[in-house]
Amino acid sequence: MTDLATTPDHIQVADLAVSYGRHPALGPLSLTVRRNEILSIIGPANAGKSTFLRTLNRMIDLTPHVQASGQVLLEGEDVLQMRDVAALRRRVGIVFALPLALPLSIFDNVAYGPRHHGLVPRKEMPGLVEQCLRQAFLWDEVKDRLKEPALNLSGGQQQRLCIARTLAVRPEVLLFDEPCSGLDPVSTAMVEETMQELKSDYTLVLVTNLTAQAARVSDRTAFFLSGELVELDDTAKIFTAPSDQRTEDYIRGRFG
Amino acid sequence: MTSVTKQKIAFTILGGITVLVALPVLLIVGVIVKHGLGAISWEFLSTAPSDGMREGGIFPAIVGTCCLVVTAVVVAVPLGVFAAIFLNEYAGDNWLTRLVRLAIINLAGVPSVVYGLFGLGLFVVVLKFGASILAGGLTLALMNLPVIVTASKEALDAVPQTFREVSLSLGVSKWKTIRHLVLPNAIPGILTGIILEVSRAAGETAPILFTAAAFYLPGLPQSIFSQVMALPSHLYAISTQVPNISLETRYGTALVLLALVFIVNSFAIFLRARLRAKRRW
Amino acid sequence: MSLRTRLTRIWEFLIEKAILLAGLACVLFVVLIFVFLLREGLRTFSHISLGDFLLGRKWYPISSPPRFGILSMICGSGMVTLGAALLGVPLGLASAIYISEVAPPRLKEVLKTGIELLAAIPSVVIGFVGITVVVPFLRVAFDLPTGQTALAGAILLSLMAMPTTVSIAEDAISSVPRRYREAALALGATHWEYIYRVALKAAAPGIVAAVMLGIGRVIGETMAVMMVTGNAALIPHSLLQPVRTMTATIAAEMGETVKGSDHYAALFAIGIVLFAITFLINFVADSFLHRSRVTLR
């Protein structure tokens, strides 16, 4: 256990396979996610990208008839065997594709998680909320209207609010599930900037259908196709000299 | 005949029939208000019947109905809401869920008089509650359970699934998610169901006829083991069992019962309209 | 793990078990109702065969020897129900079509609220209006010795079934997908042709369920029927004769029986018959409803 924190691998996935009922959706595949990197996962629809992401914090449990086998080691502990799923999800936070603000005030959206975990005393909550909103680059836009309903915010603001809300439970890994699919280019740029800033404190896994986004923000990129991991390498290498023909076809196709 | 003329004729006939269907509501209310209003006085509402029910008021019946309704609500609401939470939030797609669903459909279809039989058999005879507020209230509670379960389940179902996903993804436990996020958003819908239950429970006769209702009691109930008079059974008694009661007293009693039920119902309709106007997701 | 987290865990465990229990309780109640009806009612069949019970023409529960034949009540319930269905189904379906397809939005809300209020009127109040208005009217209109007839019951019951029938049928017609309408209108059909050629066919399972649930409501209805049908235990030959239904028999006689007597048991046996009939109707109606949801998705 002692040298775990010093190894570069934050999450080790070994022979992971996921199926919905009798339909295999993913794997078996193995890969590692390094500490403080942004790992992008690209690939066409039905490649198993979201399934993979949702396995990392067991959100797949919400889907009926889902089965996962293999190992997903988070700091050496197998995620698939964990009994306290709530504790796991506090360590591995997720930001969804669509900005999903809860029907609460801006403040309460961010305070929602820590409040239910009793994470900080009541007095310190405003400080925590401010800190998380700053980290998500939203503080300046909302500091004067924290009591307003979060649903009044624009889509891009709501998405950054969701990031702040996820940060508020103090996770160690952040999962992004196509976080910019509903956003305009300006908001997308802001979310990408946020991710870059977060890299120093968190490990990030990003599923994206914008191939260019993966090229812009990530350190390493994985290409998924039909539930299979085709290739995983440094982003620069994937986009310049992929070793697999299918990766090249996909990237070329996307770039025209 | 052109198809447009045909359409005109068809729609006119349909509209006429609809008026024919809606008319009786107005007629019933109109007749009762017209003949009953004269009987309503403070004395009528606040005194017990006297002279073999020919004189006096209906106060004990009003109190009795309130006691029965309160008992029914206290029992049925927690049970019904919990059952709805089970069906909507916890139950998977398996035989147990289907069994519970089937049970609720069936409970909703059992005739009111059969509930009366069951209440008599279980609460009055076997559990020895006697004919009492408790036995009648429990019978009414059972009978109205499906209303509460169905309304609550619909209200829970209307809360978007994504809210639950967000909450769970933040590591908040399932129960806390339901308690602090899902329920608050479903409360207006659940309340509507509860209010509808109140109005139904207040008007039911057959289930309390042999589990709670007394023909005549001058005093007020002492405990939940007391037998009571109730508005619907009182109306039944004075309109079929006792001769020579003035029509005005009968209409007056019917008016009080009808007014009670309508007031409660309009509250539910109002609440639902507000909820629809307010909801943003 | 801190004490607080541990207590929270225990609390949540207990709550979740309570929720499960509440779900199971619903099943338990149905079983209990059935068991109690059987427990009290089955004794009847130790001294009378099922055939004699169902098909016996004589109901003399307190003479000696007593006779427990409920054919006249089954016919009574059947006749009142049939009459209510003949009156109520066409009217109810017409209103459902009008409300869902034709009525302008504001009128639609008014009509729906009216139907809802109709559902809220207690059956004893409807029965009361039945005795004071409908019964005297029928006596004069048909020149009868008494207005307390199957027809009076059928009129009131068709009214009471209306909310169930109209609201479920309206729901079924409204939930026919938009694209059906658009396709029909694009092909040059008038709105009315769309309604009776397309919408009614697509909504058929829901409409069948609406009619069945309305009938289920009618068979089980007690107070209004008891107050206006005269309660003569005779096999009726026309709608203009007094009849006695199964529900009215239970409600009228249960108060006067000795608990545990043969008469008491016979009334519970009638309860079993009612329970079985309504169970069947609701079960079938629900499968139709389910089918309509699946096909219209």
Side-chain angles (χ1 to χ4, degrees), chain C residues 61-136:
Chain C
I62 40 179
S63 57
S64 55
R67 304 286 291 274
F68 298 110
I70 63 165
L71 186 63
S72 61
M73 296 160 206
I74 293 178
C75 293
S77 285
M79 179 165 270
V80 174
T81 305
L82 193 70
L86 288 178
L87 267 174
V89 169
L91 296 185
L93 291 187
S95 314
I97 296 173
Y98 185 78
I99 292 175
S100 60
E101 288 290 329
V102 187
R106 187 169 296 171
L107 181 61
K108 181 173 174 165
E109 283 310 305
V110 171
L111 288 171
K112 283 176 98 167
T113 311
I115 299 275
E116 211 170 320
L117 285 181
L118 181 58
I121 301 177
S123 72
V124 68
V125 172
I126 293 192
F128 173 70
V129 174
I131 320 181
T132 51
V133 179
V134 179
V135 168

Coordinates of all heavy atoms in Angstrom, one line a residue, chain C residues 61-136:
Chain C
P61 N -83.8 -16.2 3.4 CA -82.7 -16.5 4.4 C -83.1 -16.7 5.8 O -82.4 -17.4 6.6 CB -81.8 -15.2 4.3 CG -82.8 -14.2 3.8 CD -83.8 -14.9 2.9
I62 N -84.3 -16.3 6.2 CA -84.7 -16.4 7.6 C -85.9 -17.3 7.9 O -86.3 -17.5 9.0 CB -84.9 -15.1 8.3 CG1 -85.6 -14.1 7.4 CG2 -83.5 -14.5 8.8 CD1 -85.9 -12.8 8.0
S63 N -86.4 -18.0 6.8 CA -87.5 -18.9 7.1 C -86.9 -20.2 7.4 O -85.7 -20.4 7.3 CB -88.4 -19.0 5.8 OG -87.6 -19.4 4.7
S64 N -87.7 -21.2 7.9 CA -87.1 -22.5 8.2 C -87.8 -23.5 7.4 O -89.0 -23.6 7.5 CB -87.1 -22.8 9.7 OG -88.5 -22.7 10.2
P65 N -87.1 -24.3 6.6 CA -85.7 -24.2 6.4 C -85.4 -23.0 5.5 O -86.2 -22.7 4.6 CB -85.3 -25.5 5.7 CG -86.6 -25.9 5.0 CD -87.7 -25.4 5.8
P66 N -84.2 -22.4 5.7 CA -83.9 -21.2 4.9 C -83.5 -21.7 3.5 O -83.1 -22.8 3.2 CB -82.7 -20.6 5.6 CG -82.1 -21.7 6.3 CD -83.2 -22.7 6.7
R67 N -83.7 -20.8 2.5 CA -83.3 -21.1 1.1 C -82.3 -20.0 0.7 O -82.6 -18.8 0.8 CB -84.6 -21.0 0.2 CG -85.7 -22.0 0.7 CD -85.3 -23.4 0.3 NE -85.3 -23.7 -1.1 CZ -86.4 -24.0 -1.8 NH1 -87.6 -24.1 -1.1 NH2 -86.3 -24.3 -3.0
F68 N -81.2 -20.5 0.1 CA -80.2 -19.5 -0.3 C -79.9 -19.7 -1.8 O -78.9 -20.2 -2.2 CB -78.9 -19.7 0.5 CG -79.1 -19.5 2.0 CD1 -79.0 -20.5 2.9 CD2 -79.2 -18.2 2.5 CE1 -79.1 -20.3 4.2 CE2 -79.4 -18.0 3.8 CZ -79.3 -19.0 4.7
G69 N -80.8 -19.2 -2.6 CA -80.5 -19.2 -4.1 C -80.4 -17.8 -4.5 O -81.2 -16.9 -4.2
I70 N -79.3 -17.5 -5.3 CA -79.1 -16.0 -5.6 C -79.3 -15.7 -7.1 O -78.9 -14.7 -7.6 CB -77.7 -15.6 -5.2 CG1 -76.6 -16.3 -6.0 CG2 -77.4 -15.8 -3.7 CD1 -75.2 -15.7 -5.9
L71 N -80.0 -16.7 -7.8 CA -80.1 -16.4 -9.2 C -80.8 -15.1 -9.5 O -80.4 -14.3 -10.4 CB -80.9 -17.5 -9.9 CG -81.0 -17.4 -11.4 CD1 -79.7 -17.5 -12.0 CD2 -82.0 -18.5 -12.0
S72 N -81.8 -14.8 -8.7 CA -82.6 -13.5 -8.9 C -81.7 -12.3 -8.7 O -81.8 -11.3 -9.4 CB -83.8 -13.4 -7.9 OG -83.3 -13.4 -6.6
M73 N -80.7 -12.4 -7.8 CA -79.8 -11.2 -7.6 C -78.8 -11.2 -8.8 O -78.4 -10.1 -9.2 CB -79.0 -11.4 -6.3 CG -79.9 -11.3 -5.1 SD -79.1 -12.1 -3.8 CE -80.5 -12.6 -2.8
I74 N -78.3 -12.3 -9.2 CA -77.4 -12.3 -10.3 C -78.1 -11.7 -11.5 O -77.5 -10.8 -12.2 CB -76.9 -13.7 -10.7 CG1 -76.0 -14.3 -9.5 CG2 -76.1 -13.7 -12.0 CD1 -75.5 -15.7 -9.7
C75 N -79.4 -12.1 -11.8 CA -80.1 -11.5 -12.9 C -80.3 -10.0 -12.6 O -80.2 -9.2 -13.5 CB -81.5 -12.2 -13.0 SG -81.3 -13.9 -13.6
G76 N -80.6 -9.7 -11.4 CA -80.8 -8.2 -11.0 C -79.6 -7.4 -11.3 O -79.7 -6.4 -12.0
S77 N -78.4 -7.9 -10.8 CA -77.2 -7.2 -11.1 C -76.9 -7.1 -12.6 O -76.5 -6.1 -13.1 CB -76.0 -7.9 -10.4 OG -76.0 -7.6 -9.0
G78 N -77.2 -8.3 -13.2 CA -76.9 -8.3 -14.7 C -77.8 -7.3 -15.4 O -77.3 -6.6 -16.3
M79 N -79.1 -7.3 -15.1 CA -80.0 -6.4 -15.8 C -79.6 -5.0 -15.6 O -79.6 -4.2 -16.6 CB -81.4 -6.7 -15.4 CG -82.4 -5.8 -16.1 SD -84.1 -6.4 -15.9 CE -84.2 -7.5 -17.3
V80 N -79.4 -4.6 -14.4 CA -79.0 -3.2 -14.1 C -77.7 -2.8 -14.8 O -77.6 -1.7 -15.4 CB -78.9 -3.0 -12.6 CG1 -78.4 -1.6 -12.3 CG2 -80.2 -3.2 -11.9
T81 N -76.8 -3.7 -14.8 CA -75.5 -3.5 -15.4 C -75.6 -3.3 -16.9 O -75.1 -2.4 -17.5 CB -74.5 -4.6 -15.1 OG1 -74.4 -4.8 -13.7 CG2 -73.1 -4.3 -15.6
L82 N -76.4 -4.3 -17.5 CA -76.6 -4.2 -18.9 C -77.3 -2.9 -19.3 O -76.9 -2.2 -20.3 CB -77.5 -5.4 -19.3 CG -77.6 -5.7 -20.8 CD1 -76.2 -6.2 -21.3 CD2 -78.7 -6.7 -21.1
G83 N -78.3 -2.6 -18.6 CA -79.0 -1.3 -18.8 C -78.1 -0.1 -18.7 O -78.1 0.8 -19.6
A84 N -77.3 -0.1 -17.7 CA -76.4 1.0 -17.5 C -75.4 1.1 -18.7 O -75.0 2.1 -19.2 CB -75.6 0.9 -16.2
A85 N -74.9 -0.1 -19.1 CA -73.9 -0.2 -20.2 C -74.6 0.3 -21.5 O -74.0 1.1 -22.2 CB -73.4 -1.6 -20.4
L86 N -75.8 -0.1 -21.8 CA -76.5 0.3 -23.0 C -76.7 1.8 -23.1 O -76.5 2.5 -24.1 CB -77.8 -0.4 -23.2 CG -77.8 -1.9 -23.5 CD1 -79.2 -2.5 -23.5 CD2 -77.1 -2.1 -24.8
L87 N -77.0 2.4 -21.9 CA -77.2 3.8 -21.8 C -75.8 4.5 -21.8 O -75.7 5.5 -22.5 CB -77.9 4.2 -20.5 CG -79.4 4.3 -20.5 CD1 -79.9 4.5 -19.1 CD2 -79.8 5.5 -21.4
G88 N -74.9 4.0 -21.0 CA -73.7 4.8 -20.7 C -72.6 4.7 -21.7 O -71.9 5.7 -22.0
V89 N -72.4 3.5 -22.3 CA -71.3 3.4 -23.2 C -71.3 4.3 -24.4 O -70.4 5.0 -24.7 CB -71.1 1.9 -23.6 CG1 -70.1 1.7 -24.7 CG2 -70.7 1.0 -22.4
P90 N -72.5 4.3 -25.2 CA -72.5 5.2 -26.3 C -72.3 6.7 -25.9 O -71.5 7.4 -26.5 CB -73.8 5.0 -27.0 CG -74.4 3.8 -26.3 CD -73.7 3.6 -25.0
L91 N -73.0 7.1 -24.9 CA -72.9 8.5 -24.4 C -71.5 8.8 -23.9 O -71.0 9.8 -24.3 CB -73.9 8.7 -23.3 CG -75.4 8.6 -23.6 CD1 -76.2 8.9 -22.4 CD2 -75.8 9.4 -24.8
G92 N -70.9 7.9 -23.2 CA -69.6 8.1 -22.6 C -68.6 8.2 -23.7 O -67.7 9.1 -23.7
L93 N -68.6 7.3 -24.7 CA -67.7 7.3 -25.8 C -67.8 8.6 -26.6 O -66.8 9.2 -27.0 CB -67.8 6.1 -26.7 CG -67.4 4.8 -26.0 CD1 -67.4 3.7 -27.0 CD2 -66.0 5.0 -25.4
A94 N -69.1 9.0 -26.9 CA -69.3 10.2 -27.7 C -68.7 11.4 -26.9 O -68.0 12.2 -27.5 CB -70.8 10.4 -27.9
S95 N -68.9 11.5 -25.6 CA -68.3 12.6 -24.9 C -66.8 12.5 -24.9 O -66.1 13.6 -25.0 CB -68.7 12.6 -23.4 OG -70.1 12.3 -23.3
A96 N -66.2 11.3 -24.8 CA -64.8 11.2 -24.8 C -64.2 11.7 -26.1 O -63.2 12.4 -26.1 CB -64.4 9.7 -24.5
I97 N -64.9 11.3 -27.2 CA -64.4 11.8 -28.5 C -64.5 13.3 -28.6 O -63.6 14.0 -29.0 CB -65.2 11.2 -29.7 CG1 -65.0 9.7 -29.7 CG2 -64.8 11.8 -31.0 CD1 -66.0 9.0 -30.7
Y98 N -65.7 13.9 -28.1 CA -65.9 15.3 -28.2 C -64.8 16.0 -27.4 O -64.2 17.0 -27.8 CB -67.3 15.7 -27.7 CG -67.6 17.1 -27.9 CD1 -67.9 17.6 -29.1 CD2 -67.5 18.0 -26.8 CE1 -68.2 19.0 -29.3 CE2 -67.8 19.4 -27.0 CZ -68.1 19.8 -28.2 OH -68.3 21.2 -28.4
I99 N -64.6 15.5 -26.1 CA -63.7 16.2 -25.2 C -62.2 16.2 -25.8 O -61.5 17.1 -25.8 CB -63.7 15.6 -23.8 CG1 -65.1 16.0 -23.2 CG2 -62.6 16.2 -22.9 CD1 -65.3 15.4 -21.9
S100 N -61.8 15.0 -26.3 CA -60.4 14.8 -26.7 C -60.2 15.5 -28.0 O -59.0 15.9 -28.3 CB -60.0 13.4 -26.7 OG -60.8 12.7 -27.6
E101 N -61.1 15.5 -29.0 CA -60.8 15.9 -30.3 C -61.5 17.2 -30.8 O -60.9 17.9 -31.6 CB -61.2 14.7 -31.3 CG -60.3 13.5 -31.3 CD -58.9 13.8 -31.8 OE1 -58.8 14.7 -32.7 OE2 -58.0 13.2 -31.4
V102 N -62.7 17.4 -30.3 CA -63.5 18.5 -30.9 C -63.5 19.8 -30.0 O -63.3 20.9 -30.5 CB -64.9 18.1 -31.2 CG1 -65.7 19.2 -31.9 CG2 -64.9 16.8 -32.0
A103 N -63.7 19.6 -28.7 CA -63.9 20.8 -27.9 C -62.7 21.7 -27.9 O -61.5 21.3 -27.9 CB -64.1 20.3 -26.4
P104 N -63.0 23.0 -27.9 CA -61.9 24.0 -27.8 C -61.2 23.9 -26.4 O -61.9 23.5 -25.5 CB -62.5 25.3 -28.0 CG -64.0 25.1 -27.8 CD -64.2 23.7 -28.1
P105 N -60.0 24.3 -26.3 CA -59.2 24.0 -25.0 C -59.9 24.5 -23.8 O -60.0 23.7 -22.8 CB -57.9 24.8 -25.2 CG -57.8 25.0 -26.7 CD -59.1 25.0 -27.3
R106 N -60.5 25.6 -23.8 CA -61.1 26.1 -22.5 C -62.3 25.3 -22.2 O -62.5 24.8 -21.0 CB -61.5 27.6 -22.6 CG -61.9 28.1 -21.3 CD -62.0 29.6 -21.3 NE -60.8 30.3 -21.5 CZ -60.7 31.6 -21.7 NH1 -61.7 32.3 -21.8 NH2 -59.5 32.1 -21.9
L107 N -63.2 25.0 -23.2 CA -64.4 24.2 -22.9 C -63.9 22.8 -22.4 O -64.6 22.2 -21.5 CB -65.2 24.0 -24.2 CG -66.5 23.2 -24.1 CD1 -67.4 23.8 -23.1 CD2 -67.1 23.1 -25.5
K108 N -62.9 22.3 -23.0 CA -62.3 21.0 -22.6 C -62.0 20.9 -21.1 O -62.4 20.0 -20.5 CB -61.0 20.8 -23.5 CG -60.4 19.4 -23.2 CD -59.2 19.3 -24.3 CE -58.4 18.1 -24.0 NZ -57.5 17.8 -25.1
E109 N -61.3 22.0 -20.6 CA -61.0 22.0 -19.2 C -62.3 22.0 -18.4 O -62.4 21.3 -17.4 CB -60.1 23.3 -18.9 CG -58.7 23.1 -19.3 CD -58.1 21.8 -18.8 OE1 -58.1 21.6 -17.6 OE2 -57.5 21.1 -19.6
V110 N -63.3 22.9 -18.8 CA -64.5 22.9 -18.0 C -65.2 21.6 -18.0 O -65.6 21.1 -16.9 CB -65.5 24.0 -18.7 CG1 -66.8 23.9 -18.0 CG2 -64.9 25.4 -18.6
L111 N -65.3 20.9 -19.2 CA -65.9 19.6 -19.2 C -65.2 18.6 -18.4 O -65.8 17.8 -17.7 CB -66.0 19.1 -20.7 CG -67.0 19.9 -21.5 CD1 -66.8 19.5 -23.0 CD2 -68.4 19.6 -21.1
K112 N -63.9 18.6 -18.4 CA -63.1 17.6 -17.6 C -63.3 17.8 -16.1 O -63.4 16.9 -15.4 CB -61.6 17.7 -18.0 CG -61.3 17.0 -19.3 CD -59.8 17.2 -19.6 CE -59.0 16.0 -19.3 NZ -57.7 16.0 -19.9
T113 N -63.3 19.1 -15.7 CA -63.6 19.4 -14.3 C -65.0 19.0 -13.9 O -65.2 18.4 -12.9 CB -63.5 20.9 -14.1 OG1 -62.2 21.4 -14.6 CG2 -63.5 21.2 -12.6
G114 N -66.0 19.2 -14.8 CA -67.3 18.7 -14.6 C -67.4 17.2 -14.3 O -68.0 16.7 -13.4
I115 N -66.7 16.5 -15.2 CA -66.7 15.0 -15.1 C -66.1 14.6 -13.8 O -66.5 13.7 -13.1 CB -65.9 14.4 -16.3 CG1 -66.6 14.8 -17.6 CG2 -65.7 12.9 -16.1 CD1 -67.7 13.9 -18.1
E116 N -65.0 15.4 -13.4 CA -64.3 15.0 -12.2 C -65.2 15.3 -11.0 O -65.3 14.5 -10.0 CB -63.1 15.9 -12.1 CG -62.0 15.3 -11.3 CD -60.7 16.1 -11.5 OE1 -60.4 16.6 -12.6 OE2 -60.0 16.3 -10.5
L117 N -66.0 16.4 -11.0 CA -66.9 16.6 -9.9 C -68.0 15.6 -9.9 O -68.5 15.2 -8.8 CB -67.6 18.0 -10.1 CG -66.7 19.2 -9.8 CD1 -67.4 20.5 -9.9 CD2 -66.1 19.1 -8.3
L118 N -68.5 15.1 -11.1 CA -69.4 14.0 -11.1 C -68.9 12.8 -10.3 O -69.6 12.2 -9.6 CB -69.8 13.7 -12.5 CG -70.8 12.6 -12.8 CD1 -72.1 12.9 -12.1 CD2 -71.0 12.3 -14.2
A119 N -67.6 12.5 -10.6 CA -67.0 11.4 -9.9 C -67.0 11.6 -8.4 O -67.0 10.7 -7.6 CB -65.6 11.2 -10.4
A120 N -66.9 12.9 -8.0 CA -66.8 13.2 -6.5 C -68.1 13.1 -5.8 O -68.1 12.9 -4.6 CB -66.2 14.6 -6.3
I121 N -69.2 13.1 -6.5 CA -70.5 13.1 -5.8 C -70.7 11.7 -5.1 O -70.6 10.7 -5.8 CB -71.7 13.4 -6.7 CG1 -71.5 14.7 -7.4 CG2 -73.0 13.3 -6.0 CD1 -72.6 15.1 -8.4
P122 N -70.9 11.7 -3.8 CA -71.0 10.4 -3.1 C -72.2 9.6 -3.7 O -73.2 10.2 -4.0 CB -71.2 10.8 -1.7 CG -70.7 12.2 -1.5 CD -70.9 12.8 -2.9
S123 N -72.1 8.3 -3.7 CA -73.1 7.5 -4.3 C -74.4 7.6 -3.5 O -75.5 7.6 -4.1 CB -72.7 6.0 -4.4 OG -72.7 5.4 -3.2
V124 N -74.3 7.9 -2.2 CA -75.6 8.0 -1.4 C -76.3 9.3 -1.8 O -77.6 9.3 -1.8 CB -75.3 7.9 0.1 CG1 -74.5 9.1 0.6 CG2 -76.5 7.8 0.9
V125 N -75.6 10.3 -2.2 CA -76.2 11.5 -2.7 C -76.9 11.3 -4.0 O -78.1 11.7 -4.3 CB -75.2 12.7 -2.8 CG1 -75.8 13.9 -3.5 CG2 -74.7 13.0 -1.4
I126 N -76.2 10.6 -4.9 CA -76.9 10.2 -6.2 C -78.1 9.4 -6.0 O -79.2 9.6 -6.6 CB -75.8 9.5 -7.1 CG1 -74.8 10.5 -7.5 CG2 -76.5 8.9 -8.4 CD1 -73.8 10.1 -8.6
G127 N -78.0 8.4 -5.1 CA -79.2 7.6 -4.7 C -80.3 8.5 -4.2 O -81.5 8.3 -4.5
F128 N -80.0 9.5 -3.4 CA -81.0 10.3 -2.8 C -81.7 11.1 -3.9 O -82.9 11.2 -3.9 CB -80.3 11.3 -1.8 CG -81.2 12.4 -1.2 CD1 -82.2 12.0 -0.4 CD2 -81.0 13.7 -1.6 CE1 -83.0 13.0 0.1 CE2 -81.8 14.7 -1.1 CZ -82.8 14.3 -0.2
V129 N -80.9 11.7 -4.8 CA -81.6 12.4 -5.9 C -82.4 11.4 -6.7 O -83.5 11.8 -7.3 CB -80.5 13.1 -6.8 CG1 -81.1 13.7 -8.0 CG2 -79.8 14.2 -6.0
G130 N -81.9 10.2 -6.8 CA -82.6 9.1 -7.5 C -84.0 8.9 -6.9 O -85.0 8.9 -7.6
I131 N -84.1 8.8 -5.6 CA -85.4 8.6 -5.0 C -86.3 9.8 -5.1 O -87.5 9.7 -5.3 CB -85.3 8.4 -3.4 CG1 -84.2 7.6 -3.0 CG2 -86.6 7.8 -2.9 CD1 -84.1 7.4 -1.5
T132 N -85.7 11.0 -5.0 CA -86.6 12.2 -5.0 C -86.9 12.7 -6.4 O -87.9 13.3 -6.5 CB -85.9 13.3 -4.2 OG1 -84.6 13.5 -4.7 CG2 -85.8 13.0 -2.7
V133 N -86.1 12.4 -7.4 CA -86.4 12.9 -8.7 C -86.7 11.8 -9.7 O -87.7 11.8 -10.4 CB -85.2 13.8 -9.2 CG1 -85.5 14.4 -10.6 CG2 -84.9 14.9 -8.2
V134 N -85.7 10.9 -9.9 CA -85.8 9.9 -11.0 C -87.0 9.0 -10.8 O -87.7 8.7 -11.7 CB -84.5 9.1 -11.1 CG1 -84.6 8.1 -12.2 CG2 -83.3 10.1 -11.4
V135 N -87.1 8.4 -9.5 CA -88.1 7.4 -9.3 C -89.5 8.0 -9.5 O -90.3 7.4 -10.3 CB -87.9 6.8 -7.8 CG1 -89.2 6.0 -7.4 CG2 -86.7 6.0 -7.8
P136 N -89.9 9.1 -8.9 CA -91.2 9.7 -9.2 C -91.4 9.9 -10.7 O -92.5 9.7 -11.2 CB -91.3 11.0 -8.4 CG -90.2 10.8 -7.4 CD -89.2 10.0 -8.0

